[in-house]
Amino acid sequence: MKLTWLGHSGFRLEIENAVILIDPWFTGNPLFPAEARDEAVAGATHILITHGHGDHTGDTLALARELGVPVVGIYDLISHWESAEGISGIGFNKGGTVDLGGAQVTMVNASHSSSLGGPDGPIYAGHESGYMIAGEGHVIYVSGDTDIMADMEWMGDLHKPDIGILSAGGHFTMDMARAAYAARRYFNFKTVIPCHYKTFPLLEQSAQALIDGLPGVTVIEPEVMKAITL
């Protein structure tokens, strides 16, 4: 299994027989090198979206058309894109599980907001979400944009993820200290990878507080386009 950070909250996940692009945002992403785009999307089989904000959906429609792959996510947003944009989609909802090339992807709750930009203001884009992705002997929790929430207790107990990809940049999501608290209280991660940080000065620039708050857990500060083997 390989995981590659694409900057901000974007990841390329190679798992089972799938290559999943999670929240791909290339255009305008200060952390993503434009010359790496072809490498980042090569062989992609699915695009997985956590919510509608532009820093998560930015290149989704263009990639879906270019690569001919389905976009996977909350039913409201995916069904809208299927009818309005003509893309292929797999829409589902909280508690549902879909098979993506042998990886079992379950949608779980997140606590944030979700909208698309419109000419007269934000447009409803379904509900924000996270995912539990099971495959190759691991369960990965992709938190999506979220704060700490009580749902994490049953999510950790039921799904038992050993890898956490946690939004932890603060201001719009949990910060590093809050993410460490959530990981300690609700989960038993072996590995934690922070995201949604470093992108802008407004966000946290270091994961040191997460590292300090999780003794005994391997915290990996990802590097853009440097694959992590799990």
Side-chain angles (χ1 to χ4, degrees):
M1 182 191 305
K2 288 185 179 180
L3 182 72
T4 305
W5 192 35
L6 306 177
H8 200 55
S9 288
F11 286 90
R12 172 191 170 95
L13 175 62
E14 301 173 44
I15 182 171
E16 299 290 349
N17 296 312
V19 178
I20 304 170
L21 301 179
I22 303 172
D23 286 355
W25 172 42
F26 302 140
T27 306
N29 182 343
L31 295 182
F32 185 78
E35 65 274 12
R37 186 181 184 278
D38 288 349
E39 179 184 355
V41 306
T45 58
H46 304 83
I47 301 170
L48 184 65
I49 297 298
T50 62
H51 65 291
H53 290 159
D55 56 332
H56 296 258
T57 62
D59 288 77
T60 296
L61 295 175
L63 285 169
R65 296 186 183 103
E66 174 188 337
L67 303 173
V69 301
V71 182
V72 185
I74 195 81
Y75 175 81
D76 312 60
L77 177 59
I78 301 304
S79 60
H80 166 68
W81 275 343
E82 285 179 304
S83 61
E85 301 290 346
I87 56 108
S88 173
I90 301 172
F92 65 130
N93 217 310
K94 307 295 176 63
T97 300
V98 295
D99 184 311
L100 303 185
Q104 303 300 305
V105 179
T106 302
M107 187 183 294
V108 295
N109 203 21
S111 179
H112 190 60
S113 62
S114 181
S115 62
L116 300 171
D120 300 312
I123 298 172
Y124 172 72
H127 203 273
E128 63 276 14
S129 60
Y131 296 100
M132 296 287 177
I133 304 175
E136 299 190 28
H138 295 282
V139 178
I140 303 169
Y141 171 43
V142 177
S143 74
D145 282 10
T146 192
D147 188 22
I148 302 165
M149 55 183 175
D151 280 1
M152 289 176 172
E153 182 170 12
W154 69 258
M155 287 158 52
D157 183 58
L158 177 62
H159 291 278
K160 296 178 172 53
D162 57 307
I163 300 166
I165 300 175
L166 306 180
S167 291
H171 196 83
F172 299 105
T173 71
M174 302 180 290
D175 61 15
M176 294 294 171
R178 292 171 77 85
Y181 172 87
R184 286 195 311 269
R185 176 162 181 175
Y186 296 123
F187 299 98
N188 187 27
F189 294 126
K190 301 297 185 291
T191 303
V192 167
I193 300 166
C195 65
H196 209 283
Y197 79 121
K198 291 186 176 181
T199 320
F200 311 108
L202 187 64
L203 303 180
E204 292 210 33
Q205 302 297 304
S206 168
Q208 194 58 51
L210 183 65
I211 295 168
D212 294 343
L214 292 176
V217 176
T218 300
V219 177
I220 300 174
E221 293 194 74
E223 297 180 51
V224 174
M225 291 305 297
K226 301 291 185 183
I228 301 166
T229 300
L230 299 166

